[in-house]
Amino acid sequence: MEIIESIDKRIGEVRTDSVDMSIGELVGLHSSRELIIQPDFQRLFRWSDAQRSRLVESVLIQLPIPSIFVIENDDGRLELVDGLQRVSSLIQFINNEAIELPLLTLEGCDLVPELNGTTFEDLPLTLKLKLKRSAIRTVIIKRQSNQFLRYEMFKRLNTGGSKLSDQDIRNVNARILGGADFYAFINKCAQYGAFRTTMELLSPVAIEARGDEELVLRFFAVKNYRDKFKGSISDWLDTFMEDVLLGKQPFDMDAEWLAFTTLFDVLADKFGPYAFVKYRNGLPIGSVAPAYYEAVTCGSIQALANLQGLPTADATARLAATVESIDFRNVTGPGANSLPKMNERINLIGRAFSA
């Protein structure tokens, strides 16, 4: 009976409407700013022109299109949280200037190849009207819904596939939970000059997936929330962010900003882009390694004043010798995602700079 009561309690906490909106209506709502498309929710440029073109082709030949999800804001405007690739592609084809994207010329249409090479203006009036009058099922999450369950709905919509990176999803979740200031803070840290210096070797693919922002969040989680770590980095970062936004985990932005900038000023000065990479025979190799990143950042905090006073060559030699040591290798690599091993690699770095 307890299970039934718990389920019954949750039913109705998310209020939704499902309506069929024409593509022309969605274009009009966007133009009048009644439909908000946030680039932070999903990246506009993930789909190729061929993928966008095949969506237009699918609509014209009346293939079914998945539903989109929008949240009703307090002012009544709708904010798109799932389906941005579809909506932005259709708006781009019909009125590219409204979404500040290049004119879309269809390509890669294989069911109706005659569409290739055409723009919206090239279509006969009949097809223009058919496209604009075609409907997309739109699920509206009402503003009266429980805020946390609205957040859970978005998270579950976007964790079953590969549409978004983990950090993309966290950024949206922050907005849904009223944490726009927290997201802005994480972004501000990611843009800090000294941090960017240490991230020069982070791969373009990682940056595209907001890996730099995730590393900022990871630093604060290791620094403030390490005892809650249980083996899954992604779940742990999710929970840390949720607890901060829900007031369960104290987070003083002014104090954290000072700690972050002070640390990265020292790391950038001593190690530059080689702060978080592996070393072989005393020389840096590879890209930014997350386990090394958490060890070097939080280990350096333990001995920051001493590290700051070390000559650069001495600091680099100590870092290289530590990360090349058998003791450090034993607490990194496969099977190293445990709290004891995380603590040990942090302490190894701390001891190296304390001596």
Side-chain angles (χ1 to χ4, degrees), residues 315-334:
T316 301
R318 295 186 187 205
L319 175 62
T322 302
V323 300
E324 285 191 73
S325 69
I326 292 176
D327 287 342
F328 192 86
R329 291 203 301 268
N330 284 340
V331 290
T332 56

Side-chain angles (χ1 to χ4, degrees), residues 249-298:
Q249 171 65 35
F251 194 86
D252 183 330
M253 289 188 190
D254 290 337
E256 296 296 349
W257 172 252
L258 179 61
F260 180 86
T261 54
T262 302
L263 171 66
F264 278 92
D265 283 346
V266 174
L267 295 178
D269 177 58
K270 299 300 179 185
F271 310 116
Y274 307 112
F276 313 123
V277 302
K278 299 178 182 180
Y279 280 77
R280 181 179 298 159
N281 299 321
L283 298 175
I285 59 172
S287 181
V288 174
Y292 287 54
Y293 167 85
E294 64 194 20
V296 173
T297 52
C298 289

Side-chain angles (χ1 to χ4, degrees), residues 1-8:
M1 290 299 295
E2 290 182 3
I3 296 176
I4 295 174
E5 290 174 0
S6 296
I7 290 175
D8 287 344

